[in-house]
Amino acid sequence: MRKILLITFIHLIVLQSFAQTFNLPKSEVTKPWTYWWWPGSAVNKQGITAQLENFKRSGLGGAHIIPIYGVKGEEAHFLPYLGKQWLDIFSYTSAEAKRLGLGIDLSTGTGWPFGGPSINKESQAKQLVFNEINSLDTLTIRELMKKSTYADADIFLISNDAKYKSIQKSTLLSQFPVIKAQKYLIVTYEPTNQKVKRAAPGGEGLVVDHFDPLAMREYLHVFDTTLFGIRDNQNPRAMYNDSYEVYRANWTTNFFETFKKQHHYNLKEIIYMVSPGFPDTLMKGKVISDYRETLSSLLYDTERTWTSWIAGQHMVSRYQAHGSPGNLLDLYALADIPETESFGSSSFKIPNVRVDPDYKEKNFGRPNPLMMKFASSPAHLLGKRLVASESTTWLGNHFKVALSQIKPQIDELFTSGINHIFFHGTTYSPKEESFPGWLFYASTNYGIYSHFYNEFPFLNRYITNCQKLLQNSEPDNDVLVYLPIFDFWSDTREPLLSLFTVHHADKWFLNTPFGKLANRLWEKGYGFDYISDQQISRLKVNPDHSVSAGKCKYRAIVIPKTIHMTTETVQALIQLSKRGVLVIFDQSLPLSLPGKGRDQQQPLFSALKTELGQNPEIVIGKADSVLNQLNIRHETFVNSGLSFIRKRNKSGNYWFIANLSDTFYNDSIHLSGNAAALEFYDPINNDRGFIEYKNEGQRIGTKLYLPPGSSCFLISYNQPKKGKIWKFRYPSEESVVISDWEVKFQKGTPLLPSAIFHLAELTSWTTWKDSTLQWYNGYGTYSVSFDIPAQWHDIQGVYLKIDDLRETARVTLNGTDAGTIWSVPYELFIPSTLLKSGRRNKLELEVRNLSANEVRYLDTHHIYWKKFYDANIVDITYRPFEASLWLPVPSGILGKVKVIAVK
């Protein structure tokens, strides 16, 4: 009875937390946020206020505080985590953020994963260890027998024909003679002794057992008596749980008991079946599946303890479920704000978008929108307003990331359903600290010493304009794709602890039937989300035969080629199909039940499978072809290289469209549906207008000008609507190449070139005849005068186009600020009202380069700045950072600058 009441209480709290998601202040969340690392928590009120005010000025909406390891030489200023001084400065930070209209989130601990000084040997992470030892290796056996964990060990004798026999510990080494070829399998249950990574002072300690809800509750009690025990304290908006990095943990104290309750057999008697040395058999796959399912359920219960606790504190939860051994869809669904992670650089084919050549795809993989959908799918299905992303982690090496590289990564996240960007990130750094300030070891730096700090507001305004639309709308996907989790859990090729990481989706996900189907649907323009077994059981059928669990209505459920499926899911699919829901099996029906514990259900499964095959409402065929034949919406413009997400509101539909390829430039496209009006919105310039279109059956035909690297919204309306008419600015074939430049340098470090340069052709300024320029970090002003051809008298304006820009350029024409070029394509439209026809036009480009060359200077001249504990500073390959080995990084304008007539 006590357990039933506890579960009911937890369920009510989760529902309360779910409802709170919709009450978050929109002014905070439409803007991007930043991770905010506090090294050693060596922060003070003056520095906190200064940095929060910088956040406000740059256009951020909030910050996520993570206390981490400290800075050498600052030990006297370290504030022990959750001590009185720390709590005082956190309260001050919260109050200052509120004054400035900023939000604050907080990690549930320091560094990651959860753990710290309150965790003891009973509540720490645990592991199952298999020791396969030759029976004659008495030395190793005796050493193992000395360990404290030996008392609870299980021992098996492995015969020559690979049969396992349980033996008593008391008989170990006493049975002679022993056949030489025989082995012992000694199974021990041990602590992992893993400690919190990147912990802050006062937060050091062991990692908590993530498979034990009681251990989690004891860990959280520390916050009840400190952070939330302060009267009138300002609570964070959200508490955060980072990606799962609990290494080797695959066990918990009550695992055998839980396993038996779930699967109805005694695992302890056959634990050898999940050992690496046991032969791959059908039975091994079944037992391993049951083992992994048990781990997943224990992890789910533990994480639910965390989300319920947060709801009880009247906050919301932000959670990265990836990296764990659990069912990611169910875990993400626990959170108010599911969060994915964009780690590394995608390999876009956009001209002038660079990928750091030192980034190792083999080690870290590539970001993939299909992986990001694991976070957005439960949010879409269940009606959660926000889906977050840890964004641009290791996008490039320190000091080498440009805004032009960041924007397409953000666009890719938007197309995958993300609408709450968190930059990774910003490090607290005292005002008096010189360049490069205090830094975190694995970030793209968005702080005041970032080379793009002055141009950062342009990116933030763009993201805010997009997120205003993406957050305040409903998803409009038609298809649910089933996640065959038991196929993953039954795979004996993977280690017993099989982790679903965001970094290497190619290794565990993309090459499976599920991943291949998702990719086919993505490439053919279908709007879809993933769904789990648990979520299928909660679907409701609507009068129009769609299904929903929130506000989004889905017209079809697609089952990829699946080997294992439970009777409960098969029954649910049959019942849904009987009520008119379109259920499609991609080419074949499931083959068998998962696990050993369900063997007794085999007759029922066989009967249900027969019913599936005979059910006329069930469709078996190539899923994407079936969807097309049944007129399920898909966007054909993806065939031109465009990416999208489709959303809806009461007025109609809109599409966020990003050109992340080099194949589309200007063409006719078709959108799904019909419209009474169609509007184009440019989120970079916050400009919009109505465009021409034609309803063609169930398609909206229109023209679109969207060069590679660009993005836009197309908005359809259900009712006629009038307003400003949008005219696409098509470049003509007529252009003028600008030459004879004057370049000078007035704002930069560490050495300021005094010379003024006169150049006919533009190359990297690091190659010019001034040795100081190879170290220069700052601005160079390019000045020139040019004439507009007389025949251009009736043009709309011109495009100022730069072949290659390293990295941003503020454009001033005839004394007027014409805008800033900061993203690809490197071009800026200048209206004719700013041009002087028939007279000289004075053009100035204030160009900002990367800060990498100044860091080369620091390391080449042995200037001390790498002074951090723990990881200190490493490069993108996780080797010690050393910029003196770098070649000068190209800077300034490279190639031609043109003005192109727009008629």
Side-chain angles (χ1 to χ4, degrees):
M1 175 63 73
R2 179 177 174 271
K3 287 186 178 179
I4 293 173
L5 290 173
L6 176 62
I7 291 171
T8 303
F9 175 69
I10 288 174
H11 180 65
L12 289 173
I13 289 180
V14 170
L15 290 176
Q16 171 193 352
S17 180
F18 169 79
Q20 287 176 357
T21 307
F22 296 94
N23 297 322
L24 300 174
K26 293 182 179 179
S27 60
E28 293 179 2
V29 296
T30 54
K31 297 176 182 178
W33 289 39
T34 183
Y35 282 69
W36 190 17
W37 298 288
W38 284 9
S41 297
V43 300
N44 58 52
K45 291 182 178 180
Q46 181 184 19
I48 289 292
T49 294
Q51 199 148 22
L52 287 172
E53 289 176 346
N54 286 333
F55 291 163
K56 181 72 174 179
R57 278 193 295 270
S58 65
L60 293 173
H64 163 198
I65 296 170
I66 310 178
I68 57 166
Y69 54 87
V71 180
K72 295 174 184 177
E74 296 292 331
E75 294 81 359
H77 301 116
F78 289 174
L79 303 180
Y81 180 61
L82 296 182
K84 184 180 184 307
Q85 289 179 296
W86 192 96
L87 293 171
D88 287 346
I89 199 68
F90 177 77
S91 294
Y92 176 83
T93 303
S94 298
E96 280 292 273
K98 184 176 182 181
R99 176 181 68 84
L100 294 166
L102 300 170
I104 292 291
D105 288 358
L106 181 66
S107 288
T108 318
T110 77
W112 64 90
F114 291 174
S118 68
I119 303 304
N120 55 36
K121 64 179 182 179
E122 285 77 24
S123 58
Q124 73 161 308
K126 302 170 182 66
Q127 61 182 327
L128 184 66
V129 179
F130 298 100
N131 303 276
E132 195 170 292
I133 306 169
N134 189 291
S135 56
L136 297 182
D137 188 359
T138 58
L139 181 62
T140 301
I141 293 173
R142 292 185 191 282
E143 287 298 315
L144 193 60
M145 293 171 69
K146 293 177 183 178
K147 296 174 66 173
S148 60
T149 54
Y150 179 72
D152 298 319
D154 290 305
I155 304 173
F156 301 89
L157 181 65
I158 309 174
S159 66
N160 292 332
D161 56 354
K163 293 184 177 179
Y164 289 68
K165 178 184 178 181
S166 176
I167 64 173
Q168 299 295 317
K169 288 189 284 291
S170 60
T171 64
L172 189 61
L173 297 181
S174 64
Q175 296 181 353
F176 295 100
V178 178
I179 299 173
K180 184 176 182 181
Q182 288 184 327
K183 293 180 181 180
Y184 288 120
L185 176 66
I186 303 176
V187 185
T188 56
Y189 310 93
E190 305 179 4
T192 65
N193 293 318
Q194 181 186 347
K195 294 186 177 180
V196 176
K197 294 176 63 176
R198 322 305 184 206
E204 305 94 336
L206 296 167
V207 169
V208 71
D209 185 347
H210 281 60
F211 304 119
D212 185 348
L214 290 178
M216 177 65 77
R217 190 63 193 88
E218 291 171 7
Y219 170 69
L220 298 173
H221 182 65
V222 173
F223 298 90
D224 294 333
T225 57
T226 54
L227 185 67
F228 303 123
I230 303 173
R231 182 173 296 179
D232 299 326
N233 187 33
Q234 301 274 352
N235 278 3
R237 175 198 68 155
M239 297 295 285
Y240 173 76
N241 190 345
D242 208 339
S243 59
Y244 188 90
E245 295 187 32
V246 185
Y247 304 131
R248 307 185 311 280
N250 60 6
W251 185 257
T252 190
T253 304
N254 65 342
F255 188 90
F256 280 136
E257 292 81 359
T258 304
F259 186 97
K260 191 169 185 178
K261 287 178 182 177
Q262 290 186 6
H263 303 292
H264 313 294
Y265 65 96
N266 189 348
L267 175 65
K268 188 175 177 65
E269 295 176 352
I270 57 171
I271 191 66
Y272 55 83
M273 281 195 175
V274 299
S275 69
F278 190 80
D280 280 347
T281 62
L282 177 62
M283 184 56 67
K284 178 177 183 176
K286 288 186 172 187
V287 176
I288 281 181
S289 176
D290 289 342
Y291 190 104
R292 291 169 176 161
E293 184 182 3
T294 305
L295 276 182
S296 180
S297 66
L298 287 166
L299 179 62
Y300 181 89
D301 289 343
T302 305
E303 300 299 354
R304 184 170 58 178
T305 300
W306 172 73
T307 56
S308 301
W309 169 78
I310 291 169
Q313 300 291 347
H314 307 291
M315 298 179 298
V316 294
S317 52
R318 259 180 60 224
Y319 178 31
Q320 293 188 356
H322 51 267
S324 80
N327 188 322
L328 297 188
L329 296 179
D330 292 336
L331 290 171
Y332 276 126
L334 287 171
D336 298 306
I337 307 175
E339 178 167 305
T340 189
E341 176 181 350
S342 179
F343 184 105
S345 174
S346 300
S347 53
F348 300 118
K349 295 180 180 180
I350 307 169
N352 284 328
V353 172
R354 305 185 302 277
V355 175
D356 193 316
D358 293 330
Y359 181 78
K360 305 297 183 185
E361 181 177 1
K362 181 179 179 181
N363 295 344
F364 307 117
R366 297 278 185 196
N368 190 292
L370 296 178
M371 183 66 219
M372 311 307 174
K373 288 177 75 67
F374 276 91
S376 62
S377 291
H380 291 168
L381 177 68
L382 300 175
K384 300 174 188 287
R385 178 180 156 215
L386 300 176
V387 192
S389 172
E390 171 192 323
S391 308
T392 69
T393 304
W394 281 129
L395 177 52
N397 221 330
H398 291 284
F399 313 105
K400 287 188 174 182
V401 175
L403 292 177
S404 60
Q405 294 169 287
I406 295 171
K407 180 185 176 292
Q409 296 293 158
I410 301 300
D411 288 344
E412 183 176 64
L413 287 167
F414 287 157
T415 64
S416 66
I418 307 306
N419 62 10
H420 191 17
I421 296 296
F422 278 78
F423 295 121
H424 192 271
T426 308
T427 309
Y428 175 91
S429 192
K431 293 175 66 176
E432 60 273 13
E433 189 74 16
S434 59
F435 176 85
W438 294 359
L439 294 176
F440 184 59
Y441 81 99
S443 73
T444 297
N445 180 22
Y446 291 86
I448 59 172
Y449 285 119
S450 169
H451 40 256
F452 55 64
Y453 181 72
N454 291 331
E455 292 72 35
F456 190 28
F458 293 106
L459 173 65
N460 290 335
R461 281 196 288 272
Y462 167 73
I463 293 173
T464 300
N465 290 337
C466 291
Q467 292 188 160
K468 282 179 181 177
L469 294 177
L470 295 172
Q471 289 178 10
N472 297 295
S473 59
E474 303 298 332
D476 192 31
N477 294 331
D478 289 320
V479 180
L480 287 169
V481 181
Y482 170 68
L483 170 64
I485 190 65
F486 292 101
D487 286 359
F488 293 100
W489 284 340
S490 301
D491 190 346
T492 59
R493 295 169 297 179
E494 295 296 319
L496 179 61
L497 181 64
S498 183
L499 304 176
F500 304 128
T501 68
V502 72
H503 306 299
H504 277 296
D506 55 318
K507 292 185 176 180
W508 69 267
F509 158 50
L510 294 176
N511 293 317
T512 66
F514 170 62
K516 291 177 180 178
L517 173 62
N519 191 59
R520 290 205 318 265
L521 297 180
W522 179 266
E523 290 183 344
K524 294 191 176 182
Y526 287 97
F528 63 93
D529 289 312
Y530 308 141
I531 190 168
S532 71
D533 294 84
Q534 182 186 110
Q535 292 158 0
I536 283 177
S537 70
R538 297 176 180 176
L539 290 174
K540 68 175 184 179
V541 181
N542 302 304
D544 61 356
H545 306 300
S546 65
V547 292
S548 59
K551 294 184 178 180
C552 188
K553 293 183 176 182
Y554 300 89
R555 296 182 58 198
I557 303 172
V558 174
I559 313 298
K561 286 184 180 179
T562 300
I563 298 173
H564 305 96
M565 184 178 285
T566 66
T567 54
E568 293 83 0
T569 297
V570 175
Q571 287 173 320
L573 293 171
I574 290 172
Q575 291 304 312
L576 289 169
S577 69
K578 288 181 177 179
R579 298 182 63 186
V581 178
L582 175 59
V583 178
I584 304 169
F585 283 83
D586 187 33
Q587 303 181 59
S588 63
L589 295 174
L591 298 178
S592 65
L593 285 164
K596 179 179 182 297
R598 293 181 174 87
D599 281 351
Q600 71 276 12
Q601 300 177 19
Q602 187 57 50
L604 175 60
F605 178 82
S606 298
L608 291 171
K609 185 176 176 182
T610 299
E611 184 175 354
L612 276 177
Q614 296 175 349
N615 188 337
E617 304 300 325
I618 298 285
V619 181
I620 304 172
K622 192 172 182 181
D624 44 327
S625 298
V626 173
L627 291 170
N628 184 46
Q629 291 168 10
L630 296 177
N631 296 318
I632 302 298
R633 291 180 299 173
H634 63 287
E635 305 300 347
T636 56
F637 59 75
V638 298
N639 299 326
S640 301
L642 301 176
S643 302
F644 80 100
I645 184 170
R646 184 180 59 237
K647 306 205 73 176
R648 63 180 172 83
N649 57 23
K650 293 179 180 179
S651 300
N653 281 96
Y654 55 86
W655 295 257
F656 172 77
I657 301 176
N659 189 354
L660 302 176
S661 73
D662 61 352
T663 56
F664 185 90
Y665 201 93
N666 169 38
D667 205 348
S668 297
I669 67 167
H670 288 84
L671 309 169
S672 61
N674 283 159
L678 187 64
E679 188 177 24
F680 177 90
Y681 176 57
D682 171 9
I684 279 192
N685 297 301
N686 194 28
D687 199 4
R688 63 203 308 151
F690 288 92
I691 58 177
E692 293 182 354
Y693 72 96
K694 183 178 181 181
N695 289 321
E696 302 171 4
Q698 290 302 308
R699 295 282 176 183
I700 307 167
T702 190
K703 290 185 177 181
L704 181 65
Y705 173 69
L706 200 69
S710 303
S711 54
C712 72
F713 284 85
L714 292 180
I715 306 169
S716 69
Y717 293 92
N718 300 328
Q719 301 295 327
K721 197 174 178 71
K722 294 183 178 180
K724 173 184 170 183
I725 302 300
W726 182 267
K727 291 185 178 180
F728 286 113
R729 297 152 181 158
Y730 299 109
S732 70
E733 297 296 321
E734 301 178 41
S735 64
V736 173
V737 176
I738 301 175
S739 59
D740 299 323
W741 295 87
E742 176 184 282
V743 185
K744 56 186 176 181
F745 300 89
Q746 295 175 310
K747 295 186 293 184
T749 54
L751 306 170
L752 189 64
S754 58
I756 296 176
F757 299 85
H758 294 89
L759 304 161
E761 296 182 353
L762 298 178
T763 58
S764 170
W765 70 50
T766 58
T767 64
W768 299 353
K769 294 180 180 179
D770 187 326
S771 60
T772 63
L773 283 170
Q774 69 166 311
W775 315 115
Y776 185 67
N777 167 28
Y779 291 88
T781 301
Y782 292 65
S783 301
V784 71
S785 294
F786 67 95
D787 291 326
I788 292 293
Q791 63 268 31
W792 290 11
H793 60 87
D794 59 348
I795 60 174
Q796 290 187 56
V798 297
Y799 277 115
L800 177 69
K801 185 175 179 63
I802 302 174
D803 280 354
D804 192 3
L805 175 62
R806 306 297 180 95
E807 299 298 329
T808 63
R810 181 184 178 187
V811 180
T812 303
L813 183 65
N814 300 320
T816 300
D817 184 355
T820 297
I821 302 173
W822 58 271
S823 64
V824 171
Y826 295 138
E827 60 186 38
L828 178 70
F829 176 74
I830 300 175
S832 58
T833 54
L834 297 184
L835 295 167
K836 294 180 179 179
S837 180
R839 292 184 292 163
R840 301 289 282 175
N841 289 271
K842 185 177 181 181
L843 176 66
E844 284 190 355
L845 305 179
E846 188 179 52
V847 177
R848 181 64 163 96
N849 71 332
L850 298 174
S851 54
N853 288 332
E854 182 171 2
V855 180
R856 289 179 54 250
Y857 178 87
L858 297 179
D859 282 1
T860 300
H861 294 84
H862 308 291
I863 296 172
Y864 180 64
W865 66 275
K866 292 174 280 189
K867 53 185 179 181
F868 313 105
Y869 282 104
D870 200 281
N872 200 345
I873 287 288
V874 295
D875 65 18
I876 201 169
T877 65
Y878 280 77
R879 295 188 181 96
F881 185 91
E882 186 51 60
S884 64
L885 304 175
W886 292 351
L887 296 173
V889 175
S891 301
I893 297 174
L894 285 63
K896 296 178 181 179
V897 179
K898 299 178 182 178
V899 286
I900 304 171
V902 177
K903 297 191 173 181

